Amino acid sequence: MADLSTEVCGIPFKNPIIPASGVFGYGREYAEFYPLSALGGIATKGTTGSPRTGNLPPRVAETPAGMLNSVGLQNPGIDAFLERELPRLMQENTVILANIAGATAEECAEVAAKLDSTDAHMIELNISCPNVRQGGAAFGTSCAMAEQVTAAVRKATAKPLVVKLSPNVTSITEIAKAVEAAGADAVSLINTLLGMRIDVRTRRPILHNNVGGLSGPAVFPVAVRMVWQVANAVQIPVIGMGGVTSGEDAIELMMAGASAVQVGMACFTDPCAPLRILREMDEFLNQNHIAAVRDIIGTVEPW
Amino acid sequence: MKYMQGNYPILKKTAIAKDIFSFTLSCPDVAAQAQPGQFVHILPAGAGLRRPISIAGIDREHGTLRLVFAIRGKGTETLSRLNPGDAMDMIAPLGHGFTLLPEAAHVILVGGGIGVPPMLPLADYYGVKAAAISGFRSFSQVILQEDLEAAGAQTICCTEDGSAGAVRGFVTAPLEQLVSEGADMVYACGPVAMLKAVAQVCLRQQVRCEVSLEERMACGVGACLCCATRTQDADGGEHYLHVCKDGPVFRAEEVIW
């Protein structure tokens, strides 16, 4: 068996596979399928200062090789997370990336400050949710806003800070450099691509929110490209995600420059996808006589 | 509760109406736990998301589940082309089902169209204590009437155009009549407009009512929060509950229609 361990911002991961924020709730449901300790880490559901109800349904639509969602950051708020979810998650023997979001930089900073005194290993700041009116992608699509919210959260916590980037921008490297300059310890990308589907019989958008975030295999090539560009533009580590469905996909993102890999929609197709992906990564490494997965990070040889 | 996932062999397949199929799956571990009103989450080959399908029959003795579904799109069409000997990739049993009342003297089952199948396990449970009202657009869509009858239920079939069944029109007219004669519970599954009408009848006549809802779903287990439905608690406070985990069965009075 190959050495699958990796490391992001000095935090050791037993393996590079992390269910992405939003697909995995706070882990309760998938713990009914397998022990969460098998995972490298868990990016928890995006959590805000106050509880949020989310968007009106329908919130999901399948698309060719992917899906749209417009959940809209439904979550019970940081206080409920700290009281009811985090203590249990900290018993799971896996790295906890507490994903946070907010309508304002102040709200994000307030949530981060509350997490600062907990045992959560890392904070993943979502500046890229396409499904909320305030905050969300608005932070992630302008360098100045991205820098401002990152700096505010940076001041509020000493924990390793990962900033999750939006692909819905002209130049993701500029945003990545802005958050690096503002004190981010790592970046994760890509969040969903903004999309839309219309029911031609009713002339209504399928999603009640009209638009939503596209994820799944359809976005994988975009993820590879952006991870590669960002990894070459910043000094801080990159966590890659976007349509990973196989061990070879995960290897590909790591070759593009990712130190760890998040898995989203594949968890819906197959709840045990993260474990299968790990097995397939191990097989790939063994077949190719690579001793440690760390050795492949950023090893793509561009033409 | 541990969820079960596996490739379960198909034992039997029947086309029971145009574009409506009945499958029997061998899945003793699921059948041992499944309850009326629960559903299964099935992955059609090549799809990215699973399809939630209600449970139409639970046979613990033979270790089988019966599933009845209509072709709604590519995913269900792919599933409909499977045959005995093939297998279905299924997560089950999911959601919380109908409240069963062992002491009940009389219950009413109301199914509309492809909402009829989940009534069948209730008919099996209640036997002669159940009356099953089924509503369909037309004769070509009528399903499962013999099965409901065989379970012992009094069956009342309604078609909107009067082309089949004893009643021309909606399920609500026979429902009003039966409810006025007294019932311990009304169970319903079908189109939202029908469920809303059933809920209003039950509210007016002060009879307990549970409805099984449908919503576009992703994970099926309560993690992704995609299948939200608007509900209200006793104090009038509004909440989103989730069809996959909090439902698919809800008390009629908690649903905001």
Side-chain angles (χ1 to χ4, degrees), chain B residues 6-31:
Chain B
N7 284 302
Y8 295 99
I10 297 163
L11 299 179
K12 192 177 166 199
K13 170 192 183 179
T14 321
I16 61 170
K18 185 180 181 323
D19 290 343
I20 302 180
F21 293 85
S22 168
F23 281 83
T24 303
L25 267 56
S26 172
C27 49
D29 54 347
V30 178

Side-chain angles (χ1 to χ4, degrees), chain A residues 281-292:
Chain A
M281 291 179 85
D282 185 44
E283 280 163 26
F284 175 90
L285 295 170
N286 290 332
Q287 280 162 13
N288 291 277
H289 311 293
I290 301 163

Side-chain angles (χ1 to χ4, degrees), chain A residues 132-194:
Chain A
V132 292
R133 279 175 213 282
Q134 289 180 301
F139 289 137
T141 50
S142 117
C143 285
M145 292 282 281
E147 199 171 332
Q148 187 201 337
V149 65
T150 304
V153 172
R154 175 73 288 166
K155 265 192 234 146
T157 180
K159 286 198 184 291
L161 174 61
V162 185
V163 178
K164 184 167 175 179
L165 305 182
S166 171
N168 303 307
V169 293
T170 309
S171 170
I172 195 164
T173 53
E174 293 306 311
I175 307 279
K177 284 192 263 188
V179 302
E180 180 182 37
D185 298 305
V187 286
S188 58
L189 62 137
I190 55 174
N191 204 322
T192 53
L193 284 145
L194 197 60

Side-chain angles (χ1 to χ4, degrees), chain A residues 77-88:
Chain A
I78 185 66
D79 294 338
F81 173 70
L82 296 182
E83 192 186 314
R84 299 204 299 258
E85 309 291 349
L86 187 62
R88 173 184 47 80

Side-chain angles (χ1 to χ4, degrees), chain A residues 30-193:
Chain A
Y30 288 92
E32 304 292 333
F33 288 99
Y34 46 83
L36 302 181
S37 60
L39 302 166
I42 297 170
T44 52
K45 172 70 187 171
T47 302
T48 49
S50 323
R52 285 203 187 207
T53 55
N55 292 326
L56 279 165
R59 294 177 172 185
V60 62
E62 189 168 5
T63 63
M67 60 178 278
L68 291 169
N69 91 80
S70 59
V71 172
L73 283 179
Q74 179 178 356
N75 79 92
I78 185 66
D79 294 338
F81 173 70
L82 296 182
E83 192 186 314
R84 299 204 299 258
E85 309 291 349
L86 187 62
R88 173 184 47 80
L89 280 165
M90 295 315 300
Q91 306 297 313
E92 296 284 2
N93 187 27
T94 189
V95 175
I96 300 302
L97 293 86
N99 185 291
I100 66 168
T104 60
E106 291 71 32
E107 183 182 356
C108 294
E110 175 207 326
V111 177
K114 287 186 174 177
L115 278 162
D116 192 58
S117 55
T118 69
D119 292 327
H121 300 93
M122 312 176 90
I123 292 174
E124 185 180 57
L125 170 63
N126 181 2
I127 61 165
S128 45
C129 179
N131 292 324
V132 292
R133 279 175 213 282
Q134 289 180 301
F139 289 137
T141 50
S142 117
C143 285
M145 292 282 281
E147 199 171 332
Q148 187 201 337
V149 65
T150 304
V153 172
R154 175 73 288 166
K155 265 192 234 146
T157 180
K159 286 198 184 291
L161 174 61
V162 185
V163 178
K164 184 167 175 179
L165 305 182
S166 171
N168 303 307
V169 293
T170 309
S171 170
I172 195 164
T173 53
E174 293 306 311
I175 307 279
K177 284 192 263 188
V179 302
E180 180 182 37
D185 298 305
V187 286
S188 58
L189 62 137
I190 55 174
N191 204 322
T192 53
L193 284 145

